[in-house]
């Protein structure tokens, strides 16, 4: 029972697991399974770049798949549950980032060729450098003749 | 069937007391509670805290009178944020240590933004097989 879609939520393994042990769970597990299966994102704008920070702890850099297509940046993770031993041993489950996809519309001012990303300490940091023309130009004083 | 428990900070029945959050009476102001997974198997309890972006040095784990508390210092993330969905400030989360966990043998490690705390069970609580004489 995979890839079921209910409204805006993509239902991943967190929900599969949920139904398996329905009676052992409490209501907060259901709420949190929805709430925490998509990673939160912080966005910054600097003079020469935009920066996206995606909080997705517990993954490996190789789990991420990133692509830019027609001005849209997509970050996708589809991690298989290898460790069957742990399944069903959860007493409480409030986060799980093993399966998600998040897309961003890139601003026109971003140079898609120069995008770089790094996964460090559970945060995926995506650097989106601005195009030269879009960078803040230094104030120029004009001489009056 | 499990008792439904969805009121944060509410005192819970004894059968679900292991790792239920301790009421946050003494919680420091301006802290948030990071999400947590708790696993229970024959050998140990495992707590996983999602603390992306925090350095090892910024995290402090304390055991006091049957309560395990995990605190994190403000990451001081400054910049021109145009959108902020996750917090970078100070956090705190407390847990009641169950009676069958050995609070003297607690171990912790941090990897990829997940803080894993291992609480081994006391020998008497582990399953054992009994030989028929």
């Amino acid at each position: 029972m995979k890839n079921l879609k209910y409204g805006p939520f993509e239902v991943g393994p967190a929900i599969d697991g949920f139904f398996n042990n329905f009676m052992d769970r409490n209501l907060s597990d259901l709420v949190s399974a929805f709430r925490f299966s998509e990673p939160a994102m912080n966005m910054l704008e600097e003079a020469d770049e935009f920066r996206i920070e995606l909080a997705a702890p517990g993954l490996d850099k190789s789990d991420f798949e990133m692509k830019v297509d027609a001005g849209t940046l997509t970050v996708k993770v589809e991690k298989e549950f290898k460790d069957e031993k742990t399944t069903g041993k959860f007493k409480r489950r409030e986060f799980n980032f093993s399966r998600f996809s998040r897309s961003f519309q890139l601003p026109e001012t971003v140079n898609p060729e120069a995008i770089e990303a790094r996964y460090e300490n559970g945060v995926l940091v995506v650097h989106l450098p601005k195009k030269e023309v879009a960078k803040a130009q230094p104030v120029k004083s004009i001489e009056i003749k | 069937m499990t008792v439904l428990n969805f009121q944060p900070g509410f005192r819970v029945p004894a059968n679900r007391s292991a790792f239920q959050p301790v009421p946050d009476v003494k919680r420091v102001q301006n802290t948030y509670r990071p999400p947590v997974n708790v696993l229970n198997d024959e050998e140990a309890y495992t707590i996983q805290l999602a603390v992306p972006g925090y350095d090892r040095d910024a995290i402090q784990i304390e055991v006091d009178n049957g309560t395990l508390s995990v605190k994190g210092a403000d990451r001081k993330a400054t910049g021109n944020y145009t959108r902020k969905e996750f917090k970078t400030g100070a956090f705190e989360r407390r847990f009641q240590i169950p009676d069958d966990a050995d609070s003297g043998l607690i171990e912790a490690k941090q990897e990829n933004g997940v803080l894993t705390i291992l609480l081994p069970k006391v020998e008497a609580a582990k399953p054992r097989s009994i030989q028929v004489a």
Side-chain angles (χ1 to χ4, degrees), chain A residues 35-97:
Chain A
R35 209 173 123 204
F36 293 106
S37 53
E38 186 178 74
M41 148 186 116
N42 288 352
M43 216 169 176
L44 293 95
E45 185 178 353
E46 307 270 8
D48 55 352
E49 65 167 12
F50 293 95
R51 203 155 72 231
I52 295 173
E53 299 170 349
L54 208 71
L59 298 170
D60 191 77
K61 132 182 134 169
S62 59
D63 295 327
F64 290 92
E65 195 185 304
M66 277 182 75
K67 60 174 185 232
V68 181
D69 182 29
T72 304
L73 172 75
T74 304
V75 181
K76 193 171 156 189
V77 167
E78 255 181 66
K79 197 180 166 85
E80 292 296 321
F81 270 108
K82 286 197 198 103
D83 200 356
E84 287 294 323
K85 279 185 294 186
T86 62
T87 323
K89 297 257 169 89
F90 283 97
K91 267 185 88 65
R92 191 176 187 91
R93 189 158 211 193
E94 296 175 354
F95 72 92
N96 171 28
F97 297 112

Side-chain angles (χ1 to χ4, degrees), chain A residues 23-29 36 39-46 50-51 53-61 86 89-97 102 119-123, chain B residues 1-6 16 18-21 34-41 45 48-55 78-86 88 93 110 112-114:
Chain A
M23 288 309 191
D24 293 340
R25 305 299 173 106
N26 61 26
L27 193 58
S28 64
D29 287 338
F36 293 106
M41 148 186 116
N42 288 352
M43 216 169 176
L44 293 95
E45 185 178 353
E46 307 270 8
F50 293 95
R51 203 155 72 231
E53 299 170 349
L54 208 71
L59 298 170
D60 191 77
K61 132 182 134 169
T86 62
K89 297 257 169 89
F90 283 97
K91 267 185 88 65
R92 191 176 187 91
R93 189 158 211 193
E94 296 175 354
F95 72 92
N96 171 28
F97 297 112
R102 243 191 122 154
Y119 185 60
E120 206 171 355
N121 209 355
V123 181
Chain B
M1 199 188 105
T2 312
V3 179
L4 284 181
N5 161 43
F6 51 88
R16 283 200 50 93
F19 292 115
Q20 290 295 329
V36 66
N37 292 342
V38 179
L39 287 93
N40 178 10
D41 66 24
Y45 292 98
Q48 300 169 336
L49 266 104
V51 288
Y54 289 85
D55 280 335
T78 49
N80 182 18
Y81 279 94
T82 51
R83 188 189 183 103
K84 204 158 185 188
E85 295 178 352
F86 65 91
T88 55
R93 202 143 181 190
Q110 197 189 4
N112 286 332
V114 178

Side-chain angles (χ1 to χ4, degrees), chain B residues 24 41 55 61 64 74 77 87-88 90 92 99 107 122 129 133:
Chain B
D24 292 319
D41 66 24
D55 280 335
I61 304 170
D64 178 30
D74 194 335
K87 291 174 177 162
T88 55
E92 179 170 3
D99 292 338
E107 278 176 45
V122 287
S129 53

